[in-house]
């Protein structure tokens, strides 16, 4: 179809309807219909697109095409809110919150701290009635997220329909538990994640085991995989909306509009997450100075980088950037990003590095924002991200042995 010709014909049609309308009737309806057709043409030509699948391993690509076909299908973002910032802002308010009954567990850490895990055991699973071999998905929420986030609830709902068990790793001090030591969490330090993975695997050593991380949870998971290579009980991982290069992420978030919409609010969330632990933390930090931060960078400079012993914030951001560890990932990993995500700018997505690792596949959509990926006229239920998650975990649990034999 020649879109230029169609656009020109629509323009001529609208002009003729306006001239007629001044002296006749029906101009309003004609204009609405004409605009609707023009908008639909623009949407179908410029907005709705197939994602870019980046992978150096042809067998991995064929595996995804057969068992996770959503990554090769056209993504139709919600027609009235396809822009990245709008998707990011609206998702928490639009998407439903499936009811999930958790079983909480507190585990101790080597330094005397504690970590809160929320389990969805799925004991009613008819596909996997034996709990010892029931596939398990470890879920890692975003920067200040917990097991209550809507995207986590949707992942659990998708897993429930497949018969899988889920466990949510809540970062220290976030999910209502007390801090027993003056330490929280960061994207670079993987010690708590290592402890959680070891604990879950020790409980169910015969159960297939995967992990999925969202935003900072995805960054932490990637940094863990880059550190461990193949020496992990995880068989595969899914990553959603990860910030690949922290320097580029914070620079993007410090642009005036992004600061107003996201950065300032995120900073206040970080401050709120530690304020109730003030009595414990003020032993080591100038909490008044931390609470004056107005950007994520300022918070990290005064708090996060200091807590984890970095000489400077640049040292911390370099260590926290998963793009520097992607070459070392030793298990199959599927990473979903939108190129209009202001938290992870398109130019910072490590496309060339991903092509150098046969275990890595990137799925890049043209729209979707940060953990948005809304689709449908009224996107209350399933998002594109949810569908990618469901198909990929099912593909790996049920057909993962075929990934390198195709």
């Amino acid at each position: 179809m020649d879109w230029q010709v169609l656009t020109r014909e629509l323009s001529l049609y609208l002009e003729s309807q306006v001239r007629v309308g001044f002296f006749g009737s029906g101009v309003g309806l004609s204009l609405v219909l004409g605009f609707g057709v023009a908008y639909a043409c623009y949407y179908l030509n410029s907005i709705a697109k197939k994602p870019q699948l980046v992978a150096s391993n042809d067998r991995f690509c064929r595996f995804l095409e057969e068992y996770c076909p959503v990554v090769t299908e056209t993504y139709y973002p919600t027609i009235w809110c396809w822009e990245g910032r709008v998707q990011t802002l609206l998702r928490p308010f639009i998407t439903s919150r499936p009811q999930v009954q958790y079983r909480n567990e507190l585990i101790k850490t080597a330094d005397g701290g504690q970590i809160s895990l929320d389990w969805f055991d799925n004991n009613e699973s008819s596909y996997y009635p034996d709990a010892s071999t029931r596939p398990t998905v470890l879920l890692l929420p975003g920067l200040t997220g917990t097991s209550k986030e809507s995207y986590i609830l949707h992942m659990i709902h998708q897993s429930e329909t497949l018969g899988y068990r889920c466990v949510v790793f809540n970062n220290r001090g976030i999910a209502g538990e007390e801090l027993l030591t003056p330490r929280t969490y960061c994207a670079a330090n993987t010690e708590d994640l290592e402890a959680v993975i070891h604990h879950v695997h020790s409980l169910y050593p015969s159960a297939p085991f995967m992990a999925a991380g969202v935003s900072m949870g995805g960054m932490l998971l990637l940094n863990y995989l880059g550190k461990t290579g193949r020496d992990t009980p995880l068989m595969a991982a899914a990553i959603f909306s990860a910030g690949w290069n922290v320097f580029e992420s914070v620079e993007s978030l410090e642009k005036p509009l992004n600061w107003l919409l996201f950065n300032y609010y995120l900073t206040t969330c970080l401050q709120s997450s530690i304020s109730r632990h003030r009595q414990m933390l003020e032993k080591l930090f100038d909490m008044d100075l931390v609470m004056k931060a107005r950007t994520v960078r300022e918070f990290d400079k005064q708090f996060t980088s200091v807590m984890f012993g970095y000489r400077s914030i640049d040292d911390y951001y370099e260590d926290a950037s998963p793009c520097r560890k992607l070459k070392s990932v030793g298990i199959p990993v599927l990473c979903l990003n939108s190129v209009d995500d202001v938290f992870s700018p398109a130019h910072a997505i490590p496309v060339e590095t991903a092509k150098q690792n046969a275990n890595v596949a990137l799925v890049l959509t043209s729209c979707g924002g940060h953990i948005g990926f809304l689709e449908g006229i009224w996107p209350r239920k399933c998002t594109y991200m949810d569908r990618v998650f469901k198909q990929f975990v099912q593909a790996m649990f049920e057909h993962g042995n075929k990934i390198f034999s195709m």
Side-chain angles (χ1 to χ4, degrees):
M1 180 180 292
D2 191 331
W3 295 102
Q4 292 183 339
V5 172
L6 180 58
T7 303
R8 184 169 64 252
E9 290 179 353
L10 283 169
S11 299
L12 293 173
Y13 169 78
L14 289 173
E15 290 174 5
S16 68
Q17 289 302 311
V18 170
R19 287 195 297 270
V20 172
F22 282 129
F23 303 98
S25 60
V27 63
L29 178 60
S30 297
L31 284 173
V32 169
L33 290 174
F35 175 79
V37 173
Y39 186 83
C41 291
Y42 172 74
Y43 174 85
L44 293 173
N45 185 44
S46 302
I47 305 301
K49 296 181 179 180
K50 289 185 177 182
Q52 179 187 2
L53 178 59
V54 179
S56 65
N57 189 333
D58 290 338
R59 289 176 294 182
F60 198 178
C61 282
R62 290 195 298 271
F63 176 85
L64 292 173
E65 289 167 358
E66 180 170 351
Y67 297 108
C68 188
V70 65
V71 302
T72 64
E73 299 169 358
T74 300
Y75 165 49
Y76 295 92
T78 298
I79 195 167
W80 52 269
C81 65
W82 45 263
E83 197 273 334
R85 295 181 184 87
V86 178
Q87 287 235 347
T88 304
L89 289 169
L90 290 183
R91 182 204 52 77
F93 302 102
I94 290 180
T95 53
S96 62
R97 305 179 67 84
Q99 293 296 314
V100 175
Q101 293 295 323
Y102 288 119
R103 171 177 61 86
N104 183 256
E105 179 186 17
L106 293 175
I107 64 172
K108 299 297 183 181
T109 60
D111 68 334
Q114 64 180 358
I115 301 170
S116 174
L117 301 179
D118 282 321
W119 289 86
F120 175 73
D121 295 301
N122 204 5
N123 289 325
E124 303 302 317
S125 173
S126 58
Y127 296 109
Y128 301 95
D130 184 354
S132 67
T133 57
R134 185 176 304 144
T136 303
V137 186
L138 174 64
L139 301 175
L140 287 72
L143 184 60
T144 58
T146 68
S147 59
K148 298 178 181 179
E149 303 305 318
S150 62
Y151 56 84
I152 294 293
L153 298 175
H154 276 271
M155 287 181 176
I156 292 176
H157 177 67
Q158 300 285 0
S159 300
E160 180 183 15
T161 63
L162 297 171
Y164 306 153
R165 171 175 46 226
C166 292
V167 54
V168 185
F169 167 33
N170 298 294
N171 286 302
R172 292 199 200 191
I174 290 293
E177 80 284 6
E178 294 299 322
L179 280 183
L180 302 183
T181 61
R183 167 175 166 165
T184 55
Y185 60 93
C186 75
N189 189 291
T190 63
E191 292 174 357
D192 283 359
L193 177 56
E194 292 171 38
V196 168
I197 290 174
H198 174 76
H199 174 73
V200 174
H201 181 60
S202 67
L203 292 176
Y204 304 103
S206 300
F209 191 16
M210 283 184 62
V214 181
S215 190
M216 194 213 78
M219 297 167 63
L220 180 63
L221 182 53
L222 282 167
N223 285 331
Y224 161 80
L225 294 175
K227 176 181 178 181
T228 59
R230 295 183 180 180
D231 187 19
T232 172
L234 298 176
M235 63 180 295
I239 310 293
F240 302 100
S241 294
W244 289 97
N245 185 315
V246 184
F247 295 100
E248 299 293 342
S249 294
V250 295
E251 183 175 337
S252 173
L253 288 171
E254 286 171 356
K255 294 179 179 178
L257 181 59
N258 295 338
W259 178 85
L260 181 66
L261 294 176
F262 306 112
N263 199 327
Y264 180 72
Y265 172 74
L266 193 57
T267 305
T268 61
C269 288
L270 286 166
Q271 293 167 328
S272 177
S273 71
I274 64 172
S275 62
R276 72 184 191 88
H277 305 295
R278 183 168 185 142
Q279 186 174 0
M280 171 67 71
L281 295 172
E282 63 186 1
K283 299 174 183 178
L284 299 179
F285 301 94
D286 184 344
M287 294 299 290
D288 290 332
L289 185 61
V290 173
M291 291 300 170
K292 291 179 181 178
R294 289 297 175 264
T295 66
V296 173
R297 189 197 299 265
E298 291 177 1
F299 180 90
D300 286 338
K301 181 178 181 180
Q302 299 297 336
F303 185 77
T304 313
S305 61
V306 177
M307 171 172 285
F308 289 93
Y310 290 96
R311 292 179 300 176
S312 68
I313 189 173
D314 286 350
D315 287 344
Y316 166 52
Y317 280 174
E318 182 172 355
D319 199 24
S321 298
C323 62
R324 305 177 188 279
K325 304 180 181 69
L326 193 59
K327 291 181 181 179
S328 302
V329 171
I331 63 172
V333 175
L334 182 68
C335 308
L336 175 66
N337 282 90
S338 172
V339 297
D340 68 353
D341 182 356
V342 299
F343 286 73
S344 186
H347 65 269
I349 298 174
V351 173
E352 295 306 316
T353 305
K355 292 178 180 178
Q356 299 173 29
N357 189 332
N359 294 300
V360 175
L362 304 181
V363 179
L364 308 178
T365 60
S366 58
C367 300
H370 189 70
I371 328 176
F373 301 103
L374 302 176
E375 58 184 357
I377 298 300
W378 186 245
R380 282 280 297 164
K381 296 183 178 180
C382 188
T383 68
Y384 180 77
M385 184 178 92
D386 298 331
R387 293 197 292 132
V388 172
F389 168 81
K390 182 178 182 179
Q391 289 191 15
F392 183 66
V393 295
Q394 184 177 24
M396 292 306 306
F397 280 145
E398 300 181 15
H399 306 285
N401 61 323
K402 302 177 183 178
I403 193 167
F404 293 118
S405 61
M406 297 185 71

